[in-house]
Amino acid sequence: MTSVSQTALTVKTAGALLDDAAAACRTDPGARLDMARLALALSVLARPERDVSAGLAHLEEIAARAAGLAGSNPSETLPSLLADEFGYAGDTDSYEDMINADLAAVIDRRRGLPVALGILYCHAARAAGWDAAGLSFPAHFLIRVDGPGGRHILDPFHGGRAMDAGTMRSLLRHMGAGEDLSAEHHQDVPDRLVLLRLQNNIKLRRLQSNDIEGGLAVLGRMRRLAPDMASLVMEEAAILAEGGAILGAAKAVKGYLAAGYGAIEDRTEMERFLASIQTRLN
């Protein structure tokens, strides 16, 4: 990341942060990113009038406190810091409220969705010098931390509780996501995909409430972070085409194709989609 990452967050610097992250991920899709700062950048781009200086200061405070945890047990000290000291917990009262995926609001309220809280836990763990990442666990975001004592799996939504194979199976059943653990459930999720998952929660809630303009705005921010991701372009184009904005849909697809993004199969699908919607202009 460039020196932009150390400056205050305005619309300009927030956008530059997303562009830097997109460039880093084009070279390495699994690139490690400053997820917490990027999540605050997304908050600024969603509401340009917002001042997130207090949120940035809080991230620095978390990092400073976590730096002293290096030799401790992550399963004990991360929950102690984030849940007990700073008061973070899952929002069980208004889970579906989209502010639970807006990191600026999560920091203000100390409540959020699993993925938003997971970003803060990863932020603290990495500041402690530990390797941390989100896990590809269905329906409920967990993180893993490699530190003293080996690998630790934590559930940020429930106070950072430590998870083992038994509690993970119980959570799978509770979420209706199956009975048995698989190797996939222990795989890391790249940082950029964690941020996209955060934004997807907001996008879905906007679209479900028929706020098409708001949903498209979120998609625009997701596309800025991941301009090479074919599924986002197709989703945007499909929403635009369904609403009759055929020229806008065509522009989105043509821009992706002109940039040279995508595997052959993705580009072929987009070319077919483009041909199908362009017939509606005749």
Side-chain angles (χ1 to χ4, degrees):
M1 306 293 286
T2 71
S3 59
V4 163
S5 64
Q6 303 306 317
T7 63
L9 284 177
T10 63
V11 169
K12 182 178 179 179
T13 57
L17 264 183
L18 262 64
D19 294 340
D20 282 354
C25 292
R26 180 127 197 235
T27 303
D28 175 11
R32 282 298 169 86
L33 305 173
D34 187 343
M35 289 193 289
R37 193 176 186 90
L38 280 161
L40 278 183
L42 288 161
S43 293
V44 169
L45 292 173
R47 286 180 52 192
E49 75 283 1
R50 177 180 289 173
D51 179 1
V52 297
S53 56
L56 289 170
H58 181 62
L59 294 183
E60 292 179 1
E61 182 183 13
I62 290 174
R65 292 281 291 108
L69 304 180
S72 65
N73 181 337
S75 291
E76 297 174 354
T77 53
L78 283 176
S80 177
L81 175 65
L82 289 162
D84 298 338
E85 182 173 338
F86 286 124
Y88 282 103
D91 188 344
T92 56
D93 295 326
S94 52
Y95 185 90
E96 294 299 328
D97 194 320
M98 68 183 73
I99 63 173
N100 286 315
D102 178 335
L103 194 69
V106 170
I107 289 173
D108 287 343
R109 300 170 61 245
R110 299 295 199 267
R111 294 291 183 271
L113 291 176
V115 63
L117 298 172
I119 287 171
L120 293 171
Y121 272 73
C122 283
H123 179 72
R126 292 174 183 178
W130 302 325
D131 186 39
L135 289 183
S136 183
F137 191 85
H140 189 86
F141 192 77
L142 303 175
I143 69 163
R144 64 102 183 133
V145 179
D146 289 349
R151 174 156 293 192
H152 306 258
I153 298 177
L154 305 180
D155 179 356
F157 190 78
H158 293 105
R161 65 177 177 176
M163 306 290 286
D164 58 20
T167 52
M168 289 177 75
R169 288 192 192 94
S170 295
L171 183 56
L172 269 180
R173 290 192 292 271
H174 177 72
M175 302 303 296
E179 296 286 333
D180 297 319
L181 292 174
S182 69
E184 180 184 359
H185 298 148
H186 292 273
Q187 290 179 354
D188 288 357
V189 176
D191 288 355
R192 182 170 67 161
L193 293 186
V194 172
L195 290 163
L196 291 176
R197 180 168 174 170
L198 180 75
Q199 291 299 288
N200 196 55
N201 280 285
I202 301 175
K203 180 203 72 182
L204 288 175
R205 285 160 174 76
R206 289 205 176 278
L207 293 177
Q208 287 165 357
S209 64
N210 205 35
D211 179 7
I212 305 303
E213 182 179 354
L216 285 170
V218 180
L219 261 174
R221 294 189 287 275
M222 294 170 74
R223 284 198 58 201
R224 187 165 185 175
L225 180 60
D228 56 326
M229 193 165 291
S231 59
L232 296 178
V233 182
M234 289 297 290
E235 182 177 10
E236 180 182 41
I239 292 171
L240 288 168
E242 184 177 352
I246 306 300
L247 289 175
K251 181 180 178 181
V253 174
K254 287 178 179 178
Y256 181 92
L257 294 172
Y261 294 131
I264 292 175
E265 57 270 23
D266 291 330
R267 293 179 65 83
T268 300
E269 180 184 359
M270 285 195 179
E271 287 165 354
R272 289 172 179 163
F273 176 81
L274 184 60
S276 71
I277 62 172
Q278 284 182 324
T279 62
R280 294 164 59 180
L281 293 173
N282 299 328

